[in-house]
Amino acid sequence: MPSTAVIGLQWGDEGKGKIIDSLSAEADMIVRFAGGNNAGHTVHVGSEKYVLHLIPGGILHEGKQNIIGRGVVVNLDALIEEIDGLEERGVPVSERLFIDGRVHLIFPYHCQLDGLAESGRGKAKIGTTGRGIGPAYSDKVSRTGIRLADALNAETFAELLANAMQEKNNFMRKVYGVEPENQEGLLEKTLAQVERLRPLVVDGGAMVRKAHADGKRILFEGAQGLMLDLDAGTYPFVTSSWTGLAGVSGGAGFPPNRIDRALAVSKAYCTRVGSGPFPSELDNAVGQQLRDQGNEYGATTGRPRRCGWFDAVQARYACSLNGLDGVFLTNLDVLSGFEELAVCVAYRFEDGTETTEFPGDLSCLSKITPVYQSMPGWSEDITAARSLEELPETCRAYVAFLEEQMQTTITTLSVGPGRDQLFECEPAGAPA
Ligand code: GDP
Ligand code: IMO
Ligand code: MG
């Protein structure tokens, strides 16, 4: 795999952590290209469980270079906590991690503003993770953000931070009538954190382009999912970055025409955390059964995930937008024990007409009714299966149906959270 991008196909939490960890074994460099510590990527290694938020999923593998790409927004408290947590568990993070100096930093005022904006939205709240992601990306786009590289020079940084704090403090006091929090000693604390990280700061784009030119195998790690993408997702109930293939180039500093293979991770059903449209949501006992069997609680915030049937309209949209070469289908084991399964194959409007295209208009999405194709389920535990042949016939038929609906090859099946609970069923599209 000269260069492979892996993205989330749905609303996040598809199992990217597990898949990236697995693919990392065959990569030389793993580059995270978007999002921040809103992400929670779970990796199980034997009885050990790791939840990664900012650090790429290749970190648990010896001899791999991991880069936090320039498209990521970084909260230094969160990054340092994550580094320390892994080092305490024996992972030599500083030997394996690099951070692009162009990453934008998240400060306490971003987190506070995130919370204030959410309270102001009332019923229309997005249900953000409260990690300051939206306000930090807003500053980046407004050209008032502060980058890690800017903080390498104490004098420049002191001036930038003072200006930013003055602006944010004014805004919080005048617009929200609240006092800014957690600002005491922010300059000194940040300078000390940056000093500690200085040896890891690189030009990530230059590093990845050089590695690629040298024939190294690069893995681009996505965060969130396509339906949370700022442009392609269910706006405004999205995150503030480009989560799909289109985000790789900008977020990693790598030419788009050098990405050889695009793969995505999808659950065998759907989940969503936070508010916003979710056409196949099951707000009932079946949804609760999915939540219980899949242990569907957020890896970052612990919130119960909303659960629903697989949505082929959404999945086909996401596949076609990203020109995917293959899909990893995860959590197939969670569906064991359902007598009947359903797959959403179209959306029906109030006037009785149907569409198989994912609509961009939110008001229209809120009025549609899902049209389901039901399929027989299976009762067997499939967590020990390691080939297609070991799966019950109805399970294979379900996978084949999803593949047909997505018009994209399902290359790999995941039947449990463990590293070994994964097997290939068809080779992914050959690299160009
Ligand atoms: P990510 O954000 O895409 O990395 O996904 P999360 O880590 O937030 O959530 C996925 C959850 O599903 C984690 O708890 C994983 O350990 C778990 N998981 C991954 N693959 C499988 C699978 O095939 N079966 C089951 N039962 N759990 C899985
Ligand atoms: P991973 O990488 C699931 C959701 C939040 C909220 C919306 C905006 O683990 O798949 P934000 O804090 O980004 O401004 O919140 O996006 N969200 C995620 N949901 N998995 C994630 O990441 C998410 N990152 C953000 O719940 O609805
Ligand atoms: Mg997650």
Side-chain angles (χ1 to χ4, degrees), residues 12-17 38-42 51-52 224 298-300 305:
D13 302 331
E14 298 91 347
K16 297 176 293 295
N38 49 349
H41 297 173
T42 315
V51 181
L52 303 168
Q224 288 77 52
T300 294
R305 295 178 182 144

Side-chain angles (χ1 to χ4, degrees), residues 338-351:
F338 285 88
E339 205 169 306
E340 198 171 66
L341 302 170
V343 176
C344 172
V345 292
Y347 298 155
R348 184 174 295 135
F349 297 111
E350 281 168 330
D351 65 3

Side-chain angles (χ1 to χ4, degrees), residues 105-115 131-132 135-136 139 168:
L105 298 178
I106 300 183
F107 291 104
Y109 50 76
H110 290 123
C111 301
Q112 194 178 356
L113 284 167
D114 194 356
R131 302 296 194 265
D139 275 1
K168 302 301 174 195

Side-chain angles (χ1 to χ4, degrees), residues 285-401:
V286 183
Q288 186 58 44
Q289 191 180 342
L290 279 172
R291 189 172 304 115
D292 291 341
Q293 293 187 192
N295 190 25
E296 294 293 0
Y297 295 88
T300 294
T301 57
R303 290 178 288 177
R305 295 178 182 144
R306 300 157 64 192
C307 297
W309 293 127
F310 188 86
D311 184 344
V313 179
Q314 175 275 311
R316 194 165 46 244
Y317 165 69
C319 286
S320 91
L321 254 174
N322 290 282
L324 293 179
D325 299 300
V327 168
F328 292 83
L329 193 71
T330 60
N331 290 48
L332 189 58
D333 54 300
V334 174
L335 295 179
S336 288
F338 285 88
E339 205 169 306
E340 198 171 66
L341 302 170
V343 176
C344 172
V345 292
Y347 298 155
R348 184 174 295 135
F349 297 111
E350 281 168 330
D351 65 3
T353 57
E354 289 181 9
T355 182
T356 52
E357 303 287 327
F358 196 87
D361 177 358
L362 217 62
S363 62
C364 150
L365 258 181
S366 65
K367 289 185 206 124
I368 58 102
T369 320
V371 178
Y372 287 115
Q373 161 91 45
S374 50
M375 306 206 58
W378 59 92
S379 56
E380 295 88 334
D381 177 347
I382 59 166
T383 53
R386 295 294 177 269
S387 69
L388 262 187
E389 294 67 42
E390 291 168 68
L391 296 177
E393 206 179 314
T394 47
C395 179
R396 273 184 278 154
Y398 180 75
V399 173
F401 186 64

